[in-house]
Amino acid sequence: MIVAWLTMALGLMAFVLVLHALRPLRSPSPLQVGALFASWVIIELPLHILAFVAVQVAVCLHFGGLGAWPGWIGLAGFLGAALGLLYLTRRLFAVARVVDEALDKLPPTAPPAHPYHWARLWVPTSQYQPAVVTELHIPYTDSGRRRHRLDIYRPKALSAAAPVVLQLHGGGWMIGHKRQQGRPLLTHLAANGFVCVAANYRLSPKATFPDHIIDVKRAVAWVRAHIGAYGGDPRFIAITGGSAGAHLAALAALTPNYAPWQPGFEDADTRVQACVPIYGVYDFTNRGGFFPKNSLEHVLRRLIIKRGLHSARPVYEAASPLYRLNAEAPPFFAAHGAQDTLAPVEQCREFIDALRAISPAPAYRLELPCAQHAFDVFPSVRVKAVLEGVRRFLKATASAGLGEERAGGELGTSDAGIGVHHEADRDRL
């Protein structure tokens, strides 16, 4: 009887977890982080989870789990979970078609020299790529801070200067590290002809905005000045990142050579030629109401900006890529999960629609069915398709030479889309 009750508990738990992965709750709760992690793993690795469920069923049956009625309820739960996992698997293998549709206007590019091997998908922690060499912990300022360091990923065989990609980790502007995120993207791009850079930046609550974006611009300036020594071509620098890193990447791309955010290096060239934000935040003011009421502003007020929206609206607007749109924006390719419970996909739609209305440069949006936040952290079938889309976008953009034409010059506070209403606000812009 005990085994039957255990079978019921395990079956119902499997069903509830898969159901939540299919229809995640967006409202904030104390369980939000745990629920996000559970749904994220199930969505990205449904075949792995299906195999685990099959083992659970086999063990329960072997020990008599169907010897009483609770066991049959558990078996029904397992079957429901299996059906949900098969649905997620089908949607996962359809992602390549979704990527192709999002990039339908992109000129064709040659296939990758080093395709993303399917074998890596069965070992989701594997980041090994034999065609790539890395150089770690290079300082990009003379501050001596450990957060002011970057890693370089480059092809082993490089016959000419390669386009460059700078990646910024996520973590809510408070946690994260250059070695923890973006590794599948960095290794895939580096294996296929890009020189990639992953940079750390100062974190809150010790850091206060705009410290984060200042560090990002320092990293861009270092790359522009020094990446040639590592085989990179400083004439084409793309910037990417996930979550908070996507916010900072978009903000850097839209504010080239903006002197207030380049203290002590005002003359450095911080233009970028393309931007690939992934599940980013684009509006700190939440004017569209896509975040639950006060949820984003609560974090920003307490830990990031450390001032409230009502008392420092110009700062919130200055920190929002949605308010920094301009006709000189570089090409964008924004990717976002349709079921993101931390950064609502509606903000991505709003941002790209507004960008297309104001900038003549290409602006692509990839909305991934069933995908959660942080979908690209480890290799999966979805990631394989998305990374190839990013490679195609960057390859075509670099080949077309759009970057230098669209990158823009030095911005002042008026033409950068900033409303400065109080003189005291200038210190934080």
Side-chain angles (χ1 to χ4, degrees), residues 358-383:
I358 198 171
S359 172
Y364 299 96
R365 179 174 62 84
L366 172 61
E367 187 170 323
L368 296 162
C370 299
Q372 252 287 11
H373 201 72
F375 62 80
D376 66 331
V377 171
F378 49 62
S380 72
V381 176
R382 187 190 324 277
V383 169

Side-chain angles (χ1 to χ4, degrees), residues 205-234:
K206 186 175 182 179
T208 302
F209 187 87
D211 293 344
H212 321 74
I213 189 64
I214 289 173
D215 287 354
V216 170
K217 287 180 171 286
R218 286 188 183 276
V220 174
W222 185 95
V223 170
R224 180 80 64 189
H226 299 284
I227 203 63
Y230 300 88
D233 186 345

Side-chain angles (χ1 to χ4, degrees), residues 94-123:
V95 168
R97 176 179 55 81
V98 176
V99 174
D100 288 340
E101 292 173 352
L103 298 173
D104 61 343
K105 297 181 180 179
L106 195 69
T109 57
H114 295 275
Y116 205 87
H117 293 296
W118 286 97
R120 295 180 67 191
L121 304 179
W122 292 103
V123 186

Side-chain angles (χ1 to χ4, degrees), residues 10-168:
L10 291 174
L12 292 179
M13 182 173 65
F15 177 75
V16 169
L17 288 173
V18 172
L19 182 63
H20 178 262
L22 291 167
R23 292 288 183 270
L25 299 176
R26 287 195 172 192
S27 56
S29 73
L31 302 177
Q32 187 175 25
V33 174
L36 166 65
F37 179 80
S39 63
W40 166 60
V41 173
I42 290 170
I43 290 168
E44 296 306 316
L45 302 174
L47 288 176
H48 295 71
I49 303 301
L50 185 60
F52 180 67
V53 167
V55 171
Q56 285 185 304
V57 172
V59 171
C60 289
L61 292 178
H62 177 75
F63 288 99
L66 299 183
W69 64 266
W72 289 96
I73 294 176
L75 182 61
F78 279 126
L79 290 175
L83 289 174
L85 291 167
L86 289 173
Y87 172 79
L88 288 171
T89 300
R90 185 171 70 87
R91 299 304 299 267
L92 203 61
F93 280 92
V95 168
R97 176 179 55 81
V98 176
V99 174
D100 288 340
E101 292 173 352
L103 298 173
D104 61 343
K105 297 181 180 179
L106 195 69
T109 57
H114 295 275
Y116 205 87
H117 293 296
W118 286 97
R120 295 180 67 191
L121 304 179
W122 292 103
V123 186
T125 58
S126 173
Q127 308 293 346
Y128 176 67
Q129 173 49 264
V132 175
V133 295
T134 59
E135 300 188 44
L136 307 179
H137 312 312
I138 301 169
Y140 62 85
T141 77
D142 58 3
S143 67
R145 290 190 175 101
R146 296 182 65 182
R147 296 298 306 183
H148 286 162
R149 295 180 183 178
L150 50 80
D151 300 337
I152 295 177
Y153 299 70
R154 55 187 176 84
K156 277 187 176 179
L158 196 59
S159 58
V164 182
V165 178
L166 171 62
Q167 196 269 345
L168 307 171

Side-chain angles (χ1 to χ4, degrees), residues 127 167 169 178 180-187 279 376-377:
Q127 308 293 346
Q167 196 269 345
H169 67 78
K178 57 185 169 60
Q180 297 170 346
Q181 300 175 32
R183 299 280 297 284
L185 176 66
L186 294 167
T187 55
Y279 46 88
D376 66 331
V377 171

